[in-house]
Structure formats: structure tokens, C-alpha cells
Amino acid sequence: MADDVTDPLEIRPGYQLKRAAAAAMSDLNDRLSVLDLRQVDASVMLMIQAEPNVIASHIGRVLDIKSANMVPLLRRLEERGLIEKVPLDGKSHGLHLTAAGETIMIEANAILDRFETDLMERIPAEHREHLAPALRAIWHSDT
Amino acid sequence: MADDVTDPLEIRPGYQLKRAAAAAMSDLNDRLSVLDLRQVDASVMLMIQAEPNVIASHIGRVLDIKSANMVPLLRRLEERGLIEKVPLDGKSHGLHLTAAGETIMIEANAILDRFETDLMERIPAEHREHLAPALRAIWHSDT
DNA sequence: AGAATATTGCTATATAAGATAGCTATAAAT
DNA sequence: ATTTATAGCTATCTTATATAGCAATATTCT
């Protein structure tokens, strides 16, 4: 039996969204793996880079990472010498990229830029500009 | 510190895709939970409904479900009396919905339709029609 | 027909992401 | 000053999916 039978899920946008995200995220993970970084690592470091001295709980709030999961994530990055913590007061630490962290982020940003260029290039031109606004609407109106 | 600091990931379509998918899938899982079905269960049953007598390995190929994971999935559905297996030859089984399976799929299809209507309604009208083609392009050109 | 190969469905186990529950110390609010 | 909220943390659980491999059967090739 050839696999040309109509997939009843092909017409469902929810399924398209899931499969597109899975394909894209798998691709990105492969690309980031050469730096031994996961997406979540890169996104956290991106936030630290954008706002040095940011605290962990703020990153967690923005990126939806539970503090229980943030702790080992930051510890790994710190142990690799990519970030450092500077005490702000008795309980908070400002996060910063180290020199090594800045260096790896040059490559990480290049990978992310390339990934996104490739991602957008897959999309026919007439649909391309609509993707980000549509996705943002889905995400931000989620209750 | 108010959380109005610019999120450096807001501008990245890859991140938008991930967050939109996560929000939508979480929503859908909540809705399907009233039937005690997960998305993957519903999608498998949808394929069986669309093509009675389909075999498990075909579903796995189309939906990207490993046979090791298909086995317990089908067993649960069979134990709940929602599907049944009819031997086709010495090693394959044709899958069918039972009467109970047909009944639950009436509700499941209603939930899916409603979910997708709500999903699309969140998107501003001028972007709406572009979402599915854009997502399909991302998914299907994935190597 | 016989031999080699591929497919189907399966078991058992590993991995990885993320969620839950709860705790201590500190800071902020009343 | 007392209460409440926040930051960071530990330990553990759940869940989805991946890996490795197997026996029986079907298919393909010579």
C-alpha cells in the first residue's frame, strides 16, 4: 500500500502548527548541538546578553521556565564558564555573560540568524510576512 | 522591576513558532482531556475513521509515531473499547473504530473543529489565510 | 523453489523536558 | 513589627519520545 492516502490531518491548522514547530525545532536543535547548546540555553543566554545583570526569576517569567528547571540550566552554563552570577543583595544574583559566553554567543547568534533565514525562505513569498504576526496573535491571546 | 523589558526573542519567528505551538497544544490538550484523550490518540483515531482497515505501521509512518510507542497507544484505545483489530494476514491487523469509538469521535471532532475555529479567530483577518500554507511549507520542506 | 531481505508488531529500557511540592532566607508591604 | 511575597534551591514525578533488539511473517530476488 503506497502512502499516498489522504491524511485527514493535513487540513487541520492545529496539526500543521504542531508539525511545523516540531520540524523547525528539531532542525534548530541539530544546528545548536555543534555548540553543545539547547534552544532553551541559547534563549536564556540571549536574554542575559540583551540585558546584563538580569536576574533568573525575571528570565523565567518571560520565557516560561520554572525556577526548579532554571537552577540546573544556569548551573551548567556557569560550570562551562559561559555565564557568571554577581550578588545583587542577599537573595538575587545579576547574570552576565563571561568572555567565553560572549564568544559562543557570536556563533549562536549566527546560527539563529541563519536558521531563521532558512526558515523564512522555505515559505512562499506571499505568505512569508504573515507568519510572525499570526503566530504572535495565537501565542499572546492564549489565556 | 516591571516585566516590560524588551524580550529579545519576540522578534524571532522561530521562537514565535515554538511558543504559539506550545500555547495551542496546551489548549487543545485541555479540551481533549474531558474525553480522556490526548492529541496523539485523537489523531490516530482520526486516521482510522478516515480509512477503516488501516494498519498501525501506516499510521505511524504518516504521523511520525514509532512503532514502540504505537503499541501501548493502540492497546489503551483497544482496552477502552474504542478501536478493534481485525487480522489481515499473519502479521498485520486492520484497525477499525468500534461503535463506542465512533461515538467518542463525534465529540472529538466537535472539539477539534471548535478548537480550530477559536484558533483561527485569534488571528487578525488579514493574516489568517496565510497561516496554514506557511506552516505546511515549513513542515513539508523539512529534510 | 529456495534464499535473502524487508516489514509488522512487539518488549524492555533509556533519555530528556518539564511539572510538582516544598523549603529557607531575604526583601517588601502593611 | 509582623505579615506577605520573592528568589533561589532540592528532590522527585510525569510524560513524551527515542533506542535497541526480537520473532514471525511476507516479499523480493536468483
PDB file of all heavy atoms in Angstrom, chain B residues 93-108:
ATOM      1  N   HIS B  93      -2.785  -6.148  11.173  1.00  0.00           N
ATOM      2  CA  HIS B  93      -4.155  -6.036  11.651  1.00  0.00           C
ATOM      3  C   HIS B  93      -4.779  -4.778  11.074  1.00  0.00           C
ATOM      4  O   HIS B  93      -4.185  -3.705  11.161  1.00  0.00           O
ATOM      5  CB  HIS B  93      -4.209  -5.934  13.170  1.00  0.00           C
ATOM      6  CG  HIS B  93      -3.410  -6.973  13.876  1.00  0.00           C
ATOM      7  ND1 HIS B  93      -3.887  -8.232  14.161  1.00  0.00           N
ATOM      8  CD2 HIS B  93      -2.132  -6.951  14.306  1.00  0.00           C
ATOM      9  CE1 HIS B  93      -2.951  -8.936  14.759  1.00  0.00           C
ATOM     10  NE2 HIS B  93      -1.860  -8.188  14.870  1.00  0.00           N
ATOM     11  N   GLY B  94      -5.976  -4.901  10.503  1.00  0.00           N
ATOM     12  CA  GLY B  94      -6.728  -3.727  10.082  1.00  0.00           C
ATOM     13  C   GLY B  94      -7.378  -3.103  11.300  1.00  0.00           C
ATOM     14  O   GLY B  94      -7.941  -3.803  12.138  1.00  0.00           O
ATOM     15  N   LEU B  95      -7.285  -1.786  11.409  1.00  0.00           N
ATOM     16  CA  LEU B  95      -7.836  -1.090  12.574  1.00  0.00           C
ATOM     17  C   LEU B  95      -9.187  -0.481  12.227  1.00  0.00           C
ATOM     18  O   LEU B  95      -9.387   0.049  11.123  1.00  0.00           O
ATOM     19  CB  LEU B  95      -6.863   0.006  13.036  1.00  0.00           C
ATOM     20  CG  LEU B  95      -5.478  -0.509  13.462  1.00  0.00           C
ATOM     21  CD1 LEU B  95      -4.520   0.651  13.689  1.00  0.00           C
ATOM     22  CD2 LEU B  95      -5.590  -1.371  14.715  1.00  0.00           C
ATOM     23  N   HIS B  96     -10.087  -0.563  13.183  1.00  0.00           N
ATOM     24  CA  HIS B  96     -11.447  -0.042  12.997  1.00  0.00           C
ATOM     25  C   HIS B  96     -11.901   0.643  14.266  1.00  0.00           C
ATOM     26  O   HIS B  96     -11.492   0.245  15.359  1.00  0.00           O
ATOM     27  CB  HIS B  96     -12.418  -1.192  12.697  1.00  0.00           C
ATOM     28  CG  HIS B  96     -12.072  -1.940  11.449  1.00  0.00           C
ATOM     29  ND1 HIS B  96     -12.678  -1.703  10.233  1.00  0.00           N
ATOM     30  CD2 HIS B  96     -11.141  -2.907  11.229  1.00  0.00           C
ATOM     31  CE1 HIS B  96     -12.145  -2.499   9.318  1.00  0.00           C
ATOM     32  NE2 HIS B  96     -11.206  -3.235   9.896  1.00  0.00           N
ATOM     33  N   LEU B  97     -12.770   1.639  14.118  1.00  0.00           N
ATOM     34  CA  LEU B  97     -13.434   2.197  15.288  1.00  0.00           C
ATOM     35  C   LEU B  97     -14.583   1.273  15.676  1.00  0.00           C
ATOM     36  O   LEU B  97     -15.281   0.744  14.812  1.00  0.00           O
ATOM     37  CB  LEU B  97     -14.006   3.589  14.984  1.00  0.00           C
ATOM     38  CG  LEU B  97     -13.031   4.699  14.607  1.00  0.00           C
ATOM     39  CD1 LEU B  97     -13.782   6.026  14.533  1.00  0.00           C
ATOM     40  CD2 LEU B  97     -11.876   4.804  15.593  1.00  0.00           C
ATOM     41  N   THR B  98     -14.775   1.079  16.965  1.00  0.00           N
ATOM     42  CA  THR B  98     -15.966   0.395  17.452  1.00  0.00           C
ATOM     43  C   THR B  98     -17.118   1.405  17.466  1.00  0.00           C
ATOM     44  O   THR B  98     -16.923   2.590  17.173  1.00  0.00           O
ATOM     45  CB  THR B  98     -15.757  -0.102  18.885  1.00  0.00           C
ATOM     46  OG1 THR B  98     -15.511   1.033  19.710  1.00  0.00           O
ATOM     47  CG2 THR B  98     -14.578  -1.059  18.968  1.00  0.00           C
ATOM     48  N   ALA B  99     -18.299   0.934  17.833  1.00  0.00           N
ATOM     49  CA  ALA B  99     -19.424   1.862  17.977  1.00  0.00           C
ATOM     50  C   ALA B  99     -19.088   2.928  19.011  1.00  0.00           C
ATOM     51  O   ALA B  99     -19.335   4.130  18.798  1.00  0.00           O
ATOM     52  CB  ALA B  99     -20.684   1.093  18.382  1.00  0.00           C
ATOM     53  N   ALA B 100     -18.492   2.498  20.113  1.00  0.00           N
ATOM     54  CA  ALA B 100     -18.085   3.465  21.142  1.00  0.00           C
ATOM     55  C   ALA B 100     -17.046   4.434  20.589  1.00  0.00           C
ATOM     56  O   ALA B 100     -17.039   5.629  20.928  1.00  0.00           O
ATOM     57  CB  ALA B 100     -17.534   2.732  22.367  1.00  0.00           C
ATOM     58  N   GLY B 101     -16.169   3.909  19.742  1.00  0.00           N
ATOM     59  CA  GLY B 101     -15.161   4.764  19.118  1.00  0.00           C
ATOM     60  C   GLY B 101     -15.791   5.799  18.204  1.00  0.00           C
ATOM     61  O   GLY B 101     -15.405   6.974  18.208  1.00  0.00           O
ATOM     62  N   GLU B 102     -16.784   5.361  17.428  1.00  0.00           N
ATOM     63  CA  GLU B 102     -17.492   6.303  16.555  1.00  0.00           C
ATOM     64  C   GLU B 102     -18.168   7.386  17.390  1.00  0.00           C
ATOM     65  O   GLU B 102     -18.154   8.564  17.036  1.00  0.00           O
ATOM     66  CB  GLU B 102     -18.546   5.568  15.708  1.00  0.00           C
ATOM     67  CG  GLU B 102     -17.987   4.584  14.691  1.00  0.00           C
ATOM     68  CD  GLU B 102     -17.421   5.244  13.432  1.00  0.00           C
ATOM     69  OE1 GLU B 102     -17.435   6.492  13.341  1.00  0.00           O
ATOM     70  OE2 GLU B 102     -16.951   4.502  12.544  1.00  0.00           O
ATOM     71  N   THR B 103     -18.759   6.947  18.488  1.00  0.00           N
ATOM     72  CA  THR B 103     -19.467   7.907  19.352  1.00  0.00           C
ATOM     73  C   THR B 103     -18.520   8.954  19.921  1.00  0.00           C
ATOM     74  O   THR B 103     -18.793  10.159  19.883  1.00  0.00           O
ATOM     75  CB  THR B 103     -20.161   7.160  20.510  1.00  0.00           C
ATOM     76  OG1 THR B 103     -21.086   6.231  19.955  1.00  0.00           O
ATOM     77  CG2 THR B 103     -20.892   8.128  21.415  1.00  0.00           C
ATOM     78  N   ILE B 104     -17.398   8.497  20.448  1.00  0.00           N
ATOM     79  CA  ILE B 104     -16.469   9.462  21.054  1.00  0.00           C
ATOM     80  C   ILE B 104     -15.873  10.365  19.984  1.00  0.00           C
ATOM     81  O   ILE B 104     -15.553  11.533  20.247  1.00  0.00           O
ATOM     82  CB  ILE B 104     -15.376   8.743  21.880  1.00  0.00           C
ATOM     83  CG1 ILE B 104     -14.882   9.672  22.998  1.00  0.00           C
ATOM     84  CG2 ILE B 104     -14.226   8.295  21.018  1.00  0.00           C
ATOM     85  CD1 ILE B 104     -13.904   9.000  23.948  1.00  0.00           C
ATOM     86  N   MET B 105     -15.766   9.861  18.762  1.00  0.00           N
ATOM     87  CA  MET B 105     -15.205  10.689  17.694  1.00  0.00           C
ATOM     88  C   MET B 105     -16.154  11.795  17.242  1.00  0.00           C
ATOM     89  O   MET B 105     -15.716  12.805  16.685  1.00  0.00           O
ATOM     90  CB  MET B 105     -14.793   9.817  16.503  1.00  0.00           C
ATOM     91  CG  MET B 105     -13.496   9.053  16.729  1.00  0.00           C
ATOM     92  SD  MET B 105     -12.117  10.097  17.301  1.00  0.00           S
ATOM     93  CE  MET B 105     -11.701  10.963  15.776  1.00  0.00           C
ATOM     94  N   ILE B 106     -17.449  11.600  17.491  1.00  0.00           N
ATOM     95  CA  ILE B 106     -18.374  12.709  17.231  1.00  0.00           C
ATOM     96  C   ILE B 106     -18.002  13.889  18.122  1.00  0.00           C
ATOM     97  O   ILE B 106     -17.862  15.032  17.668  1.00  0.00           O
ATOM     98  CB  ILE B 106     -19.842  12.266  17.482  1.00  0.00           C
ATOM     99  CG1 ILE B 106     -20.259  11.209  16.446  1.00  0.00           C
ATOM    100  CG2 ILE B 106     -20.783  13.470  17.432  1.00  0.00           C
ATOM    101  CD1 ILE B 106     -21.601  10.556  16.741  1.00  0.00           C
ATOM    102  N   GLU B 107     -17.769  13.565  19.399  1.00  0.00           N
ATOM    103  CA  GLU B 107     -17.394  14.625  20.333  1.00  0.00           C
ATOM    104  C   GLU B 107     -15.990  15.151  20.045  1.00  0.00           C
ATOM    105  O   GLU B 107     -15.739  16.356  20.099  1.00  0.00           O
ATOM    106  CB  GLU B 107     -17.463  14.099  21.769  1.00  0.00           C
ATOM    107  CG  GLU B 107     -18.873  13.743  22.204  1.00  0.00           C
ATOM    108  CD  GLU B 107     -18.896  13.216  23.633  1.00  0.00           C
ATOM    109  OE1 GLU B 107     -18.714  14.032  24.558  1.00  0.00           O
ATOM    110  OE2 GLU B 107     -19.065  11.989  23.817  1.00  0.00           O
ATOM    111  N   ALA B 108     -15.080  14.222  19.741  1.00  0.00           N
ATOM    112  CA  ALA B 108     -13.698  14.638  19.474  1.00  0.00           C
ATOM    113  C   ALA B 108     -13.638  15.553  18.259  1.00  0.00           C
ATOM    114  O   ALA B 108     -12.949  16.579  18.271  1.00  0.00           O
ATOM    115  CB  ALA B 108     -12.809  13.417  19.276  1.00  0.00           C
TER     116      ALA B 108
END
